[in-house]
Amino acid sequence: ADRDKFIKTVLKKTGINMRVISGEEEATLIALGILSHEKGLKGKYALVDIGGGSTEISICQNKKVIHTGSFPLGTSRLTQMFVKKNPLDHSSLESLRRHIKSVLLPKMIAYDWPKVPLIIGSSGTIRALTRISSKKEGTKSVSRGDLKKTVKSISKLSIGDLLELPGMEARRVDMILSGAVLLESCTNLLGAKKVRMTTYSLRDGI
């Protein structure tokens, strides 16, 4: 809310003139970064980037973006709202799922987003979940079924237990559950059977 004051302060002290971009522009830049570098992308698929405060989703046909959206769903935001402790009780887990669905579904329905078989994921959270869910060194994709099993298992773990998981990063441990539920919800709502991670993202689009 205080972006104008912040930008003026930065300009005054450094001479750097900043510009705050919209969520839609962020989604466009993420898509540009991935589509410009990833090879062999054909048919319909979704690009999903899960951040701390928002999630950007683009629906693509071959190398063209046909739908895009930015949603106020991020791991930090969702953790503060719903994950008050680990393990997470069933009621809180279902409340988290309902909230995510209530934010994502209206736009998907309003703009008639198609179902897609594949999600290309471009964030540290998705890379971490791929490592944890696959349990195989060097794996770059995870099935919706394995992701569902991961959500079920990690929702029952304490922070200490989560830290012991192969592939877990300490800096993501408190937000990994909210990220996992969010990614699982994206696969369910988009109809995706598989999530494949990419190393390309926003910086490449810029």
Side-chain angles (χ1 to χ4, degrees):
D2 63 349
R3 68 183 67 184
D4 292 338
K5 180 180 178 181
F6 178 73
I7 289 171
K8 288 177 181 177
T9 301
V10 171
L11 179 61
K12 182 178 179 181
K13 292 183 178 293
T14 69
I16 298 171
N17 192 8
M18 297 174 61
R19 180 171 68 87
V20 178
I21 65 173
S22 67
E24 283 68 28
E25 188 174 357
E26 182 180 3
T28 299
L29 288 168
I30 291 167
L32 181 62
I34 297 171
L35 297 178
S36 298
H37 293 85
E38 282 287 345
K39 309 297 182 185
L41 295 177
K42 296 180 180 179
K44 285 190 176 71
Y45 54 92
L47 308 178
V48 176
D49 187 281
I50 295 175
S54 66
T55 290
E56 280 64 50
I57 303 176
S58 294
I59 305 298
C60 303
Q61 173 76 48
N62 297 322
K63 289 273 187 172
K64 182 181 179 182
V65 175
I66 55 178
H67 296 286
T68 190
S70 179
F71 303 89
L73 297 168
T75 55
S76 180
R77 188 191 297 257
L78 293 175
T79 298
Q80 291 173 21
M81 292 172 65
F82 295 98
V83 187
K84 306 297 184 183
K85 60 180 180 178
N86 296 86
L88 189 65
D89 62 85
H90 180 74
S91 176
S92 297
L93 183 60
E94 289 307 306
S95 294
L96 172 56
R97 285 194 171 109
R98 284 194 299 271
H99 174 73
I100 293 169
K101 186 175 182 179
S102 73
V103 174
L104 290 176
L105 200 56
K107 185 162 189 172
M108 293 179 177
I109 293 174
Y111 291 91
D112 196 22
W113 284 21
K115 299 294 184 182
V116 297
L118 173 68
I119 286 175
I120 307 292
S122 58
S123 66
T125 293
I126 294 177
R127 288 193 292 273
L129 286 168
T130 301
R131 290 195 299 269
I132 294 167
S133 300
S134 65
K135 298 181 177 65
K136 294 179 182 179
E137 196 69 30
T139 300
K140 294 186 177 182
S141 64
V142 60
S143 70
R144 183 167 69 181
D146 284 342
L147 184 60
K148 181 179 180 179
K149 292 176 185 176
T150 296
V151 172
K152 185 176 180 180
S153 63
I154 67 176
S155 67
K156 300 175 182 178
L157 300 179
S158 66
I159 291 293
D161 293 331
L162 287 169
L163 282 168
E164 296 297 320
L165 291 175
M168 176 61 71
E169 300 174 39
R171 65 194 177 100
R172 300 188 191 280
V173 68
D174 57 334
M175 295 182 286
I176 197 67
L177 178 57
S178 59
V181 175
L182 176 53
L183 182 58
E184 181 195 25
S185 297
C186 288
T187 63
N188 290 336
L189 294 172
L190 292 169
K193 303 296 184 184
K194 185 170 71 170
V195 177
R196 193 176 89 204
M197 71 176 193
T198 177
T199 57
Y200 303 110
S201 59
L202 178 63
R203 73 183 70 186
D204 303 288
I206 292 171

